[in-house]
Amino acid sequence: MNLQTLTGVKMVSKLIALEVYHNLKDIDFRILRGVELNMRHHQWVPLEDIAKFARTDVETASYRLGKLDNWMLVRRRSDIGYIGYQLTIHGYDVLAIRAFARKGVIEAISQTQIGVGKEADVYVGITPQGEKVAVKFNRIGRTSFTRIKLYRRDFIDKHHISWLYISRLVAEREHEALQLLSPIAKVPKPIAWNRHAIVMEFIEGVELSELRDDDLTREEAEDILNKVLDEYLKIVRFGIVHSDMSEFNIVLTEDDDILIIDWPQYLPTAYPESLEYLRRDISVLLNAFHRRWRVKKDFSEVWNEFYEAWLESRGEKDNKD
């Protein structure tokens, strides 16, 4: 499938994978896949292993890898006793995009970036049916992943953990959370997941953090906070804690409703440490609304309600005393 590049509003940053996608041949995708799979066992994948996986000779593999290096899809190293390669984040993007295209999930992706954070970028995609979707690429390799402790159970007995694996795990966890919550809560509906990328429904709106303080009256801000707390209370009672709740993860939709986004760090309430993260979530939310819009709520009153919901989700409500 030929992946198109859409044009739209002002570009924030380029998705390099799209710029080179039309240059790639089938052998290039096999080579990229060979580097990806062998990075489970090598920090720098030997050229010979890549050629073997791609079912080609070393000379051809070296030539194609040179092009992939020029396109910033792989990086090369020759001072380690052999010639080795690593996949870059752009190469990982290419593999995820190809998987979505071949499965008929997306037909085009825009260079328009609609969201950016320390650990993810979001772009507009178009389905074969012509519908807009959001395509989120996790960028864990961009910064140190300071909350890796939330994933420590997944790292038991893992001796070689790459940023590829972490980025993939983060996307998988968020997709899992959205699958659980979308039937019962105001979160984006997931459509597909592959590697470090998630395709989800496209929602017109603006993040709360992007608003200026004078964009909302105190009464309007209080109404928004009440909606967020009501929705989050329902989610906690269901058995999930966001663990990174803030004004950056709340979207105000065009119909004056709210959406809670960014769920890769969610914790089930079955985890004892989820209570600590829930307390922090509530504190961060209340402090943000008080600081920016002078909305004052008593923490203990709000917390008591959430603590009751947390206990209820664990089947401990009747035993809290």
Side-chain angles (χ1 to χ4, degrees), residues 43-305:
Q43 187 172 2
W44 294 89
V45 183
L47 171 60
E48 292 76 12
D49 290 4
I50 300 170
K52 182 178 180 181
F53 181 91
R55 304 187 302 279
T56 189
D57 57 87
V58 171
E59 183 178 354
T60 300
S62 179
Y63 173 74
R64 298 310 304 179
L65 281 160
K67 286 187 171 294
L68 296 173
D69 189 6
N70 291 337
W71 292 327
M72 295 187 289
L73 304 186
V74 299
R75 60 172 63 93
R76 180 181 186 273
R77 188 170 178 182
S78 59
D79 62 346
I80 49 178
Y82 63 92
I83 298 175
Y85 293 85
Q86 284 184 348
L87 200 63
T88 68
I89 192 66
H90 309 302
Y92 212 34
D93 288 349
V94 161
L95 289 173
I97 291 170
R98 179 172 168 85
F100 288 141
R102 295 184 74 175
K103 292 177 181 177
V105 176
I106 55 174
E107 188 169 273
I109 298 181
S110 173
Q111 286 283 19
T112 302
Q113 192 176 17
I114 59 173
V116 61
K118 289 186 300 182
E119 294 163 351
D121 293 332
V122 185
Y123 296 84
V124 177
I126 298 294
T127 69
Q129 294 75 36
E131 298 176 348
K132 277 187 179 181
V133 291
V135 187
K136 179 178 181 179
F137 296 90
N138 284 285
R139 306 297 196 207
I140 302 306
R142 175 185 297 168
T143 62
S144 60
F145 191 48
T146 55
R147 301 178 185 87
I148 200 170
K149 59 179 176 287
L150 295 184
Y151 303 94
R152 63 186 179 274
R153 289 173 177 81
D154 301 283
F155 292 158
I156 294 173
D157 297 327
K158 300 282 186 182
H159 302 295
H160 177 65
I161 302 298
S162 71
W163 61 265
L164 293 179
Y165 179 80
I166 298 173
S167 297
R168 179 186 182 278
L169 177 63
V170 167
E172 181 181 17
R173 286 178 63 92
E174 179 162 28
H175 184 259
E176 179 182 71
L178 296 180
Q179 281 187 312
L180 291 170
L181 292 175
S182 58
I184 60 101
K186 294 173 182 176
V187 302
K189 292 181 176 61
I191 297 171
W193 156 67
N194 187 272
R195 294 175 172 85
H196 64 317
I198 306 174
V199 179
M200 61 189 82
E201 69 173 329
F202 180 86
I203 301 292
E204 295 283 358
V206 60
E207 288 182 10
L208 186 64
S209 60
E210 296 177 359
L211 297 181
R212 297 172 302 185
D213 292 358
D214 58 1
D215 283 338
L216 296 175
T217 65
R218 187 181 67 80
E219 291 75 18
E220 289 171 333
E222 185 172 14
D223 181 60
I224 291 169
L225 176 58
N226 288 335
K227 288 180 179 179
V228 173
L229 291 174
D230 288 346
E231 198 64 21
Y232 195 21
L233 188 67
K234 181 168 58 177
I235 290 169
V236 172
R237 191 172 288 117
F238 178 77
I240 285 178
V241 171
H242 188 287
S243 298
D244 191 30
M245 183 71 82
S246 73
E247 60 193 289
F248 294 91
N249 296 328
I250 299 168
V251 171
L252 306 182
T253 65
E254 285 190 331
D255 56 356
D256 294 325
D257 208 345
I258 63 102
L259 200 69
I260 302 176
I261 63 172
D262 291 341
W263 289 89
Q265 298 176 57
Y266 90 91
L267 282 177
T269 54
Y271 289 12
E273 59 265 41
S274 66
L275 185 63
E276 174 189 345
Y277 287 100
L278 176 59
R279 180 185 292 273
R280 187 183 65 181
D281 281 352
I282 302 305
S283 178
V284 167
L285 275 178
L286 297 186
N287 288 341
F289 276 83
H290 183 247
R291 181 185 72 253
R292 297 192 60 187
W293 295 291
R294 305 177 308 283
V295 176
K296 186 170 179 59
K297 284 188 177 290
D298 183 79
F299 176 83
S300 61
E301 290 183 8
V302 175
W303 174 247
N304 285 339
E305 194 171 13

